[in-house]
Amino acid sequence: MIAPIKRTLADLRAQTAIWRKADETIGVVPTMGALHQGHLSLARAARERCDRVIVTIFVNPKQFNNPDDLDSYPRTEEDDARKLESIGVDLIYVPDPEQIYPDGFATNVSVEGLTDMLCGAARPGHFDGVATVVSKLFLQTSADFAFFGEKDYQQLQVVRRLAADLDIPIEVVGCPTIREEDGLAMSSRNLLLSDRSRIKAPVLAEVMEDMRAQLRDGDGMSDIAEDAKTRILAAGFNDIDYLELRDGRDLSLLDQTVPDARLFAAAWLAGVRLIDNIAV
Ligand code: PAF
């Protein structure tokens, strides 16, 4: 059965109040729709861990720093609801925009430090938009657990920080990146790739895998980054926003690998920005 869709905060809270009264735990999976296997794996993780599962679908204008990117973001609500059917999600929250940003909305949640680099540097204002909407979704759903993919690793760290800093009583659970058979990290943006670009896209993950092997052998980023960038560009990518080794805990920049090191990349392929990261 397709889960009921609620579009107002009042309707959402009418339902969560009943669950709370019955002492049931609530898990939330925040999404912007265009659901793929990565999202479904988050919903499954929530289903296993929580009595009740809410998936939210909201294309958040505040986190897009480019209006064309916002306009072209895929919107597939009916399909999304159908995809969630087999998982047994209890409720889909698709808030009308004024439920998130009512007239006069003037609050911005900004996480310092973690947002200065990587996607934060390349997309000014992006993480303020994410932090603001995620804070609202946490408070609106009153969930006990929230599930986020490691594919957006920086976002995961930002969300953990804001939940801790604002004393929001929610446990943020990170779940592994789900990949296509050819290694491409699943992303709603993959839908925007042409057939030709789709063939080239896995090169990003391939190069990162090779870099991981080199880093494990003791090479530093200063030895290998230039060659890796040349390979990515030679495969048809147009530009690279970053290709960096960072500490997975505080995202500080590294040259050599350490126990929590992760490799992060963002690159443009025919107008589509792809990101990926792997533990080294
Ligand atoms: O990862 C996403 O899809 C979005 O950034 C999120 C967490 C749903 C906030 O809009």
Side-chain angles (χ1 to χ4, degrees):
M1 203 182 68
I2 289 194
I5 295 179
K6 306 286 180 199
R7 297 185 192 275
T8 67
L9 178 55
D11 286 350
L12 171 70
R13 285 202 168 140
Q15 182 60 76
T16 53
I18 296 168
W19 294 339
R20 288 257 156 258
K21 213 163 166 206
D23 249 347
E24 292 177 319
T25 56
I26 301 175
V28 66
V29 181
T31 82
M32 297 204 297
L35 301 185
H36 50 66
Q37 287 301 326
H39 295 115
L40 300 187
S41 75
L42 302 179
R44 275 189 209 102
R47 181 69 288 161
E48 273 169 27
R49 184 124 181 216
C50 308
D51 297 320
R52 299 291 180 178
V53 177
I54 302 173
V55 171
T56 71
I57 299 178
F58 181 66
V59 182
N60 173 33
K62 272 200 195 300
Q63 71 187 74
F64 287 81
N65 48 331
N66 172 346
D68 292 343
D69 195 19
L70 173 61
D71 289 345
S72 67
Y73 203 85
R75 288 160 172 88
T76 56
E77 185 184 311
E78 264 180 41
D79 267 13
D80 291 344
R82 231 173 288 122
K83 284 180 186 163
L84 292 169
E85 220 180 323
S86 62
I87 296 171
V89 160
D90 295 285
L91 189 156
I92 305 174
Y93 182 45
V94 190
D96 294 329
E98 64 276 11
Q99 302 297 307
I100 302 290
Y101 301 122
D103 271 354
F105 186 85
T107 297
N108 186 46
V109 179
S110 189
V111 176
E112 286 172 17
L114 286 173
T115 58
D116 293 345
M117 73 296 273
L118 300 174
C119 287
R123 303 180 67 191
H126 167 70
F127 282 117
D128 283 10
V130 170
T132 304
V133 80
V134 166
S135 303
K136 290 212 59 153
L137 292 170
F138 283 1
L139 296 169
Q140 290 193 346
T141 57
S142 70
D144 306 284
F145 299 90
F147 297 80
F148 288 84
E150 286 183 348
K151 153 87 175 19
D152 296 297
Y153 192 86
Q154 187 177 16
Q155 169 173 281
L156 173 63
Q157 298 304 89
V158 167
V159 166
R160 285 190 164 131
R161 184 77 261 161
L162 79 83
D165 287 356
L166 298 178
D167 301 317
I168 303 178
I170 195 164
E171 183 179 330
V172 176
V173 181
C175 302
T177 302
I178 306 294
R179 295 180 182 276
E180 303 284 356
E181 270 184 18
D182 58 13
L184 177 65
M186 288 196 188
S187 162
S188 306
R189 284 173 199 275
N190 295 352
L191 287 177
L192 304 174
L193 294 169
S194 66
D195 290 350
R196 274 179 64 135
S197 296
R198 177 62 191 80
I199 292 169
K200 298 171 185 170
V203 170
L204 187 62
E206 233 171 80
V207 171
M208 291 172 76
E209 289 278 340
D210 292 346
M211 291 176 80
R212 165 160 60 192
Q214 291 170 302
L215 289 162
R216 283 181 178 171
D217 282 349
D219 283 348
M221 286 296 282
S222 44
D223 306 311
I224 63 173
E226 278 321 304
D227 271 2
K229 285 181 184 172
T230 306
R231 273 180 69 194
I232 293 166
L233 295 172
F237 280 78
N238 313 96
D239 201 7
I240 298 169
D241 279 348
Y242 56 76
L243 180 61
E244 292 175 350
L245 184 70
R246 290 190 174 261
D247 191 309
R249 292 161 301 180
D250 59 6
L251 301 186
S252 58
L253 195 60
L254 299 170
D255 184 57
Q256 304 275 332
T257 189
V258 297
D260 284 300
R262 295 187 86 87
L263 195 54
F264 292 86
W268 289 88
L269 181 56
V272 182
R273 187 171 183 274
L274 298 179
I275 65 170
D276 202 348
N277 73 90
I278 54 174
V280 175

